[in-house]
Amino acid sequence: MTRVPPQDPAAGVPVAGAPVAGRSRGRAGPPIRPDADADPDADGVALAATTAAGVLLGTQFPLGAAWVAATLCLVVASLGVGHGAASPPRSRAVAGLLVLGTLLAAGAAAASVRATAVRGGVLAARVGTPGRVELAGAVAEEPRRVRYGGYWVVLTVDRVRLAGRTQRTRERAGLFLGRSQQEMLGRGQGQGGRLAVGERLRMRASLAAARRSDPLGRQPRVVLRRPVIEERAPPRGGLGGALRGSEVVRDAARRRALATLAPERAGLLAGMALGDTSLLPGDLERDFRAAGLTHLMAVSGANLAVVLGAGLWLAGVAGAGRRTLAAVGVALVVLLVVVTRWEPSVLRAGVMAGLVLFGVATGRGPGGRRALCLAVVVLLLADPALAGALGFQLSVAATAGVLWLGPPVARWLPDGLPERVGTAVGMTLGAQATAVPALALVFGRVSLAGLPANLLGLPLAGGPMLLGVVAAATAPVAPWVATLACRLADPFLVALIAIARWAAGLPGGSVTLPGPVRAGPAVAVLLALLVVARRRRSPYLAHPVDPPPDPERTVRGRDDHRRRAPPGGVVPP
Amino acid sequence: MPPPPPFLLPQRRWSRVSALLAGAGRQRVAVAILALAAVLVAGFVWIRATPRLVGPGEGSATAAGPADPDAGAGDPSAGQGVNAGSAQALPRAAPDTSAGSSGPTDRVAVHVAGHVRHPGLVRLPAGSRVQDAIRAAGGATSGADLDAVNLARKLTDGEQVLIPGPGDPPPLPPDAGAAPGTPTAPLDLNTATVEQLDTLPGVGEVTAGRIVAYRTAHPFTTVDELLEVPGIGQRRFEQLKDLVTVT
């Protein structure tokens, strides 16, 4: 992580940190006493939390049309209410509440419409009826390796043939491909039958209800059992070309890594750069999990941060202007999102980075914290099912930890530390403070070894992440560059594997919490935060009492850091 | 706007709420656009997810649906459109014959021999009956003994249909005299006896009994329903699927 410039947009350290703190000051109206809850980004948090609440509400009460109507009414109402700096606080509060209401209703509308569509699926209705169904669909996400050498594949089914009639539909269904079915797939294929995202399959199967599913259909409700695959075809449609191209890149990178490195390191590199964990040996995967380094072996927001940081630094060195920088950044984000198959955490980081880059281009945009909140709003409205994706939840929790807890933690560290090290440690501890309780709540497991492992491992992770992406980008065109990148990444990988093995072997490294104790870490962290907030009224504002606003200074500071933000430079505190 | 009456709500409270929501209030145009976009996207998702029949016009354009030979019963153009479309848009990636023989899009080639006007190879749409094969071979001769042949049986690719004359011995049951390697008429899963099923490779008495038990519960409609019978896994199914049929 030391490689990440601390002001990097997607790593999320507030690019607009200084002006954000000044935001509530320069406003006309009655002076606002900074309360304990006067986090200047509280409104952003309110927006994100309201949207999430709306999604939950819509999932629980799927009243599709009613929610849509409510959304439209609230949109009209909130646009109609007068609101300005001069208006009384009451009408400003009403306008704010209307906006929140709109988001609540919109989240509920999106989720309830999705839930209704999922429940009304042809396949879902057919579960339990004996007999075979013929269907066609496209692979929706990267097939996941499961036990016994099989793969779990999620299809987006778009055609179903029942009782002699073909129906068009769109629903997700999962299937387990055992060895023999993979052999069937691989017959006559060059690449050993590996299924890629977007490939189309036509098959016959019988239907069963999935053991675990979520109402918004991210985890399919229907499992296709005993599939007989009849046809396999490459991706088609508008996205098909991009998918085929990125599959070429992924395949070339995999081969290059396997040809250059020892298998377990090749597997780790493929995981860190592309999110492709299929080459990781099972025992290494277990060790990483036990060491609390799971986020390293798959792609995460940190990948995007590293790649974006390096790319923008290069562009900055080459003398690109603000807009060129933003364009380069957006192109990098889109490429990485497609090549890593839009993992929820990469999506989160991508939207966030996009918002911050928009700020870089226009000189006006959200800071890191606000960008996270807006990214959550945008993504949940676009795909409410993300709310149920563990990768998304963890990613948001960890980023929030980095953004809100990182800076104060870094301030508490002993003064002797170099600033970069302090920032990195603060970010790591902040992320751990939110990610560990979240993981404990979901899995009931706490990795005590996670803290030392992350402190040691994170600084090393940037290297392979960046070199892996370089290797992937060059593998199809200049294999020798890719080989070189793999060799350069090798020492990092050796060290990471050693750290994971060491941390996993620590006594009491991983503790399993029973039942209600799972909430323990979350409660502990909350209590600690409350105590801290009580002791210092506001840990976020350096000056609890407002100094008179100094527009000159604010504007200069803002401009200054914006101009220098991505390529280098340190945000003036 | 007049200030709210003090007994209703103290002013301080509003100012605190408005301070909290200040940003939210300022972003309301963006939020309104977002909310409308979310509703539109949700509507789009809903429209695409709503199941509906593939109409006659869109069959060939959208392609890649499950192939559909019998859809022609109700609407010939729809069925043909889907067939043609999927055959073009989904080139067989794996050039294996097994997928071909079970793929409903194909035509079958059968050798019609014996007492027909023009014995030889005929090609017919999949799903054709023995009667169609005889007709395609110019029809049976006057001496043919059509009672010895099941005219209603569905044809499978690569088989030989022998039309016996009055003096010929009755055709042997498929399990008795067939030389290995020659495609014979496959067993019909819905009518074969336990003894006949027993002769299939890898199927013993127990599995044959299970097949019969399964079909009494729900008769077979496709060959791959064999996979639903306990004791028949993917590998055994691969061996069996060319040796059995469902009419």
Side-chain angles (χ1 to χ4, degrees):
Chain A
M1 268 303 184
T2 44
R3 291 167 170 270
V4 189
Q7 72 287 359
D8 188 82
V13 173
V15 166
V20 161
R23 187 169 290 162
S24 59
R25 293 182 208 151
R27 189 170 301 130
I32 298 152
R33 202 171 62 84
D35 295 310
D37 57 346
D39 179 359
D41 297 303
D43 50 1
V45 177
L47 293 178
T50 314
T51 315
V55 168
L56 277 183
L57 205 61
T59 315
Q60 291 302 315
F61 307 100
L63 321 160
W67 288 121
V68 171
T71 311
L72 297 180
C73 293
L74 284 166
V75 164
V76 172
S78 82
L79 288 180
V81 169
H83 166 64
S87 57
R90 181 177 168 163
S91 86
R92 270 188 282 153
V94 167
L97 283 175
L98 275 175
V99 164
L100 291 188
T102 311
L103 275 184
L104 188 81
S112 68
V113 168
R114 191 70 60 101
T116 315
V118 167
R119 268 184 315 165
V122 189
L123 295 179
R126 171 85 193 177
V127 166
T129 322
R132 308 279 286 175
V133 174
E134 190 174 353
L135 51 90
V139 179
E141 48 189 63
E142 198 63 19
R144 205 149 39 81
R145 203 184 47 175
V146 287
R147 279 173 299 173
Y148 315 121
Y151 280 88
W152 170 252
V153 181
V154 177
L155 283 186
T156 305
V157 175
D158 49 25
R159 293 286 191 288
V160 178
R161 185 155 174 254
L162 277 175
R165 293 191 304 179
T166 301
Q167 281 182 299
R168 170 190 300 203
T169 176
R170 195 169 180 86
E171 55 195 299
R172 284 156 81 94
L175 69 148
F176 176 77
L177 280 189
R179 287 223 175 99
S180 51
Q181 284 108 337
Q182 285 169 52
E183 283 165 20
M184 249 159 67
L185 275 178
R187 218 177 283 163
Q189 290 280 309
Q191 48 161 333
R194 181 189 274 276
L195 267 183
V197 174
E199 275 194 78
R200 296 189 56 82
L201 293 178
R202 185 161 67 80
M203 67 175 70
R204 279 202 295 264
S206 48
L207 306 177
R211 244 179 304 162
R212 276 190 310 163
S213 67
D214 75 286
L216 297 185
R218 185 170 179 85
Q219 288 196 348
R221 288 167 72 93
V222 178
V223 179
L224 306 171
R225 299 183 65 196
R226 292 180 280 275
V228 173
I229 291 160
E230 300 187 332
E231 282 183 21
R232 175 183 178 183
R236 65 192 174 97
L239 206 56
L243 286 173
R244 280 195 298 270
S246 58
E247 189 54 31
V248 169
V249 170
R250 289 170 68 96
D251 198 46
R254 262 194 306 253
R255 283 162 197 267
R256 188 50 44 198
L258 277 175
T260 316
L261 303 174
E264 59 176 20
R265 290 175 230 154
L268 183 56
L269 188 64
M272 294 183 78
L274 305 170
D276 179 354
T277 53
S278 61
L279 300 177
L280 267 180
D283 60 327
L284 188 62
E285 203 172 332
R286 265 195 305 281
D287 285 348
F288 266 80
R289 216 173 281 285
L293 292 172
T294 325
H295 56 105
L296 287 190
M297 65 182 184
V299 286
S300 66
N303 279 59
L304 200 102
V306 170
V307 174
L308 206 54
L312 291 183
W313 176 77
L314 266 185
V317 166
R322 272 201 321 201
R323 303 208 167 192
T324 325
L325 277 184
V328 168
V330 168
L332 277 176
V333 168
V334 170
L335 281 180
L336 205 71
V337 165
V338 172
V339 169
T340 57
R341 307 302 190 207
W342 48 92
E343 288 284 323
S345 58
V346 180
L347 264 188
R348 190 274 307 155
V351 174
M352 247 181 99
L355 287 167
V356 173
L357 287 168
F358 174 75
V360 169
T362 58
R364 230 182 88 87
R369 295 179 183 177
R370 196 168 282 259
L372 173 65
C373 298
L374 293 184
V376 169
V377 172
V378 169
L379 284 172
L380 284 187
L381 287 184
D383 183 5
L386 274 177
L390 185 64
F392 186 75
Q393 296 163 355
L394 282 179
S395 171
V396 170
T399 315
V402 167
L403 293 177
W404 268 272
L405 304 179
V409 168
R411 235 173 283 142
W412 293 336
L413 291 174
D415 289 336
L417 285 174
E419 196 185 322
R420 293 219 156 187
V421 175
T423 314
V425 170
M427 283 165 67
T428 309
L429 291 178
Q432 289 283 308
T434 48
V436 166
L439 276 172
L441 276 175
V442 178
F443 294 118
R445 278 197 7 183
V446 175
S447 173
L448 295 181
L451 208 57
N454 274 294
L455 284 175
L456 288 174
L458 272 182
L460 296 172
M465 281 177 182
L466 186 58
L467 290 166
V469 169
V470 169
T474 51
V477 284
W480 62 271
V481 182
T483 307
L484 184 67
C486 289
R487 289 211 189 288
L488 285 177
D490 202 24
F492 292 103
L493 297 171
V494 172
L496 278 175
I497 291 174
I499 290 171
R501 292 247 154 92
W502 166 76
L506 284 180
S510 178
V511 180
T512 307
L513 300 176
V517 187
R518 289 174 170 211
V523 173
V525 169
L526 277 182
L527 281 180
L529 285 180
L530 276 182
V531 168
V532 169
R534 227 159 219 291
R535 243 187 28 202
R536 314 173 49 170
R537 287 302 290 244
S538 163
Y540 311 113
L541 291 177
H543 313 285
V545 180
D546 282 353
D550 176 358
E552 189 55 36
R553 203 183 115 229
T554 318
V555 167
R556 191 153 30 83
R558 192 178 289 199
D559 254 15
D560 187 42
H561 95 271
R562 278 259 159 65
R563 208 177 302 127
R564 298 167 49 191
V570 176
V571 180
Chain B
M1 188 178 292
F7 57 87
L8 246 179
L9 277 172
Q11 172 120 30
R12 251 193 61 70
R13 196 143 153 202
W14 281 116
S15 64
R16 198 187 283 182
V17 173
S18 77
L20 181 71
L21 300 178
R26 279 189 299 137
Q27 289 159 354
R28 63 207 163 121
V29 175
V31 166
I33 293 172
L34 265 181
L36 291 180
V39 169
L40 282 180
V41 167
F44 181 66
V45 165
W46 186 70
I47 288 171
R48 282 214 302 182
T50 309
R52 60 196 166 104
L53 289 179
V54 175
E58 42 197 335
S60 55
T62 48
D68 216 357
D70 290 346
D75 184 346
S77 65
Q80 292 311 314
V82 168
N83 283 345
S86 67
Q88 283 166 3
L90 279 182
R92 251 168 232 299
D96 53 339
T97 50
S98 57
S101 65
S102 62
T105 50
D106 289 349
R107 294 168 71 82
V108 294
V110 292
H111 177 197
V112 189
H115 290 254
V116 286
R117 295 225 169 80
H118 308 293
L121 195 69
V122 296
R123 292 178 195 278
L124 296 161
S128 303
R129 313 277 170 171
V130 168
Q131 170 95 63
D132 302 320
I134 295 174
R135 201 178 296 143
T141 58
S142 53
D145 179 11
L146 289 180
D147 290 343
V149 188
N150 176 5
L151 292 177
R153 185 168 63 76
K154 272 191 182 167
L155 296 167
T156 44
D157 194 33
E159 73 165 303
Q160 185 187 43
V161 179
L162 186 60
I163 310 299
D168 294 343
L172 297 167
D175 50 320
T182 10
T184 52
L187 275 183
D188 186 337
L189 284 175
N190 281 326
T191 54
T193 61
V194 174
E195 290 73 33
Q196 283 174 319
L197 291 170
D198 204 356
T199 62
L200 291 169
V203 176
E205 208 174 315
V206 178
T207 313
R210 285 186 188 143
I211 293 175
V212 173
Y214 179 88
R215 80 180 179 209
T216 39
H218 13 247
F220 287 98
T221 53
T222 56
V223 171
D224 48 305
E225 261 173 73
L226 260 187
L227 282 166
E228 306 292 317
V229 176
I232 297 188
Q234 202 75 40
R235 280 182 197 283
R236 193 167 296 172
F237 173 72
E238 289 288 313
Q239 299 169 340
L240 290 179
K241 66 181 181 185
D242 297 331
L243 304 175
V244 295
T245 181
V246 172
T247 50

